[in-house]
Amino acid sequence: MAEYYTLKIAGLERKLEKFPVNDKLDIAAFIIFGDVELTVAGCAELLKKLPEFDVILTPEAKSIPIAYEMARQTGKPYVIARKGVKVYMRNPLHVNVTSITTKNEQHLFLGETEVNMLKGKRVLIIDDVISTGESLAAVRELVKEAGGEEAAACAFLAEGDAADRKDIIFLEKLPLFFK
């Protein structure tokens, strides 16, 4: 029998199914894919809290709809840090990342074209959920390596202790469920 957590965000309510991370911890899965109503409303609310920025950067993949909608609402370009090198990426920058929702170490890459889009710009880092901060640290490293300046780091949700951080902007807290 599935268990759910009710989340209220951007004037909307969603039921998030809980899943085990291990025998001592469950998380409520926030999946933005396909939820256009929440993506549009959440981005509008988040934009009210953000400083000026020139370009958006997000890690692949769950936060891509958020980056796209932020770009659509602001007219600013967005860049995706990819999980693998693509044939069209010249001289890729590379950082390693571990995440609470991914079992193995991941890698994030930016090609030369994307690096040039970030260089000398105020970069808004976007994610769907910030939890341990490992993904955020990796994306911050990419911004630094690319010669950009972080304008802000934001997410729809801050999970667990991340909600106490002062270096991120978010809409709502998402609790962790300890057994």
Side-chain angles (χ1 to χ4, degrees):
M1 182 77 137
E3 289 187 47
Y4 294 87
Y5 169 74
T6 301
L7 173 71
K8 293 182 181 178
I9 182 171
L12 303 170
E13 187 173 291
R14 295 295 184 265
K15 294 201 179 306
L16 308 181
E17 188 172 354
K18 293 181 184 179
F19 291 92
V21 172
N22 55 45
D23 61 346
K24 296 179 181 175
L25 175 67
D26 288 352
I27 60 170
F30 179 70
I31 311 297
I32 196 72
F33 289 136
D35 195 338
V36 175
E37 179 185 39
L38 181 54
T39 303
V40 172
C43 287
E45 286 303 307
L46 197 51
L47 279 168
K48 293 174 186 177
K49 298 179 164 206
L50 298 176
E52 287 293 316
F53 61 92
D54 302 310
V55 63
I56 297 163
L57 175 62
T58 194
E60 195 172 41
K62 286 185 357 184
S63 53
I64 293 172
I66 298 169
Y68 169 81
E69 182 59 22
M70 287 283 223
R72 191 191 69 77
Q73 289 185 25
T74 64
K76 306 284 174 88
Y78 72 100
V79 172
I80 300 168
R82 304 299 301 263
K83 290 181 180 175
V85 175
K86 305 299 178 187
V87 295
Y88 54 79
M89 292 178 152
R90 284 185 174 72
N91 305 314
L93 284 181
H94 167 250
V95 295
N96 296 330
V97 61
T98 54
S99 166
I100 191 171
T101 56
T102 306
K103 291 185 179 186
N104 300 318
E105 181 179 69
Q106 294 182 304
H107 308 275
L108 292 176
F109 300 89
L110 290 175
E112 187 174 1
T113 300
E114 292 77 22
V115 167
N116 289 336
M117 289 177 68
L118 302 180
K119 190 174 186 175
K121 300 289 197 277
R122 297 171 297 179
V123 180
L124 175 65
I125 299 170
I126 293 179
D127 212 340
D128 59 333
V129 178
I130 295 174
S131 186
T132 64
E134 294 295 327
S135 297
L136 175 58
V139 177
R140 282 179 161 155
E141 183 63 25
L142 283 175
V143 171
K144 182 180 171 185
E145 295 282 328
E149 175 190 336
E150 180 182 327
C154 67
F156 273 22
L157 302 173
E159 187 173 51
D161 293 341
D164 298 328
R165 294 176 65 147
K166 303 296 182 214
D167 64 331
I168 62 172
I169 299 167
F170 60 94
L171 294 177
E172 297 296 335
K173 298 176 184 178
L174 183 62
L176 294 170
F177 303 91
F178 295 96
K179 303 178 200 177

